[in-house]
Amino acid sequence: APDVRNDIRPEPNGPPTKVHVGIRLIDLMEVNDVQQTLTADLGVILRWTDPRLAMLQGCEISIDDIWFPGIVFANAGRELATRPREAGIGPGGEVTYVQRYYATLATHHNLREFPFDDQTFRISMRSLEWAESDVQLVVDEQTTGRREVLNISDWQIGSTAGVVSREYGDVF
């Protein structure tokens, strides 16, 4: 991107840059009660606007060459990204980054009522590079959810919901 610094967020003197986050559970391969993990196939869509990129509408560009909000899985033990690290640029500099991850995530399993227990599995994402005063996460309700049929055996998977919380402070 010509003359666009990737270490300065869009409109740095303005309000926090809103980053819309959508997470789709494509498949759930394993729930490990002993290790307190789950292994999943996840689709992630991040959207934000960077007016400095408006002249690149219709292009795809490496996220290493533009400002990126540094959104990562906060509870990932390991993750593998499967798509190129490129973003599409839309009208007005709307940036769309789509990635598919195969990830093992740390979860908390309350097993007091096992085998008749219910669990809430959290998939946590946050920016490790930018403070809340710079980046504001917003749930993208249209892309957050799960595939109807999952391949996990011995589990019934209920509803999904996206929530923005302040679980971690800026000094994380």
Side-chain angles (χ1 to χ4, degrees):
D3 300 322
V4 176
R5 290 184 51 182
N6 63 3
D7 62 335
I8 298 176
R9 72 177 180 89
E11 302 179 63
N13 297 321
T17 302
K18 288 187 180 184
V19 179
H20 298 266
V21 180
I23 303 173
R24 174 139 322 257
L25 178 61
I26 297 168
D27 207 355
L28 183 59
M29 282 72 72
E30 178 186 37
V31 176
N32 187 318
D33 290 324
V34 174
Q35 294 182 0
Q36 304 245 335
T37 61
L38 65 86
T39 302
D41 184 357
L42 302 162
V44 175
I45 298 176
L46 304 177
R47 286 191 183 95
W48 66 93
T49 300
D50 189 339
R52 303 171 297 181
L53 302 176
M55 79 295 260
L56 297 173
Q57 179 178 337
C59 294
E60 293 218 351
I61 190 164
S62 170
I63 62 169
D64 296 327
D65 294 334
I66 61 174
W67 178 82
F68 185 71
I71 306 292
V72 298
F73 290 102
N75 61 331
R78 63 184 159 99
E79 64 185 64
L80 172 66
T82 63
R83 294 178 39 88
R85 291 174 38 92
E86 295 178 345
I89 310 299
E94 181 180 270
V95 181
T96 302
Y97 176 65
V98 178
Q99 188 55 266
R100 189 166 179 176
Y101 295 96
Y102 180 85
T104 298
L105 304 165
T107 61
H108 172 72
H109 301 193
N110 183 344
L111 302 174
R112 282 181 258 215
E113 297 181 30
F114 181 83
F116 304 107
D117 54 325
D118 288 332
Q119 301 296 331
T120 299
F121 298 128
R122 297 180 191 274
I123 299 171
S124 300
M125 298 193 84
R126 77 170 322 261
S127 175
L128 292 181
E129 298 177 29
W130 297 90
E132 188 176 0
S133 58
D134 294 315
V135 171
Q136 179 184 8
L137 300 183
V138 178
V139 175
D140 184 341
E141 298 288 346
Q142 291 183 321
T143 58
T144 295
R146 70 175 183 88
R147 212 178 69 185
E148 189 171 326
V149 177
L150 301 173
N151 290 317
I152 188 79
S153 61
D154 302 326
W155 283 84
Q156 282 188 335
I157 306 300
S159 64
T160 59
V163 177
V164 174
S165 69
R166 287 167 177 77
E167 186 173 326
Y168 303 102
D170 286 340
V171 295
F172 177 76

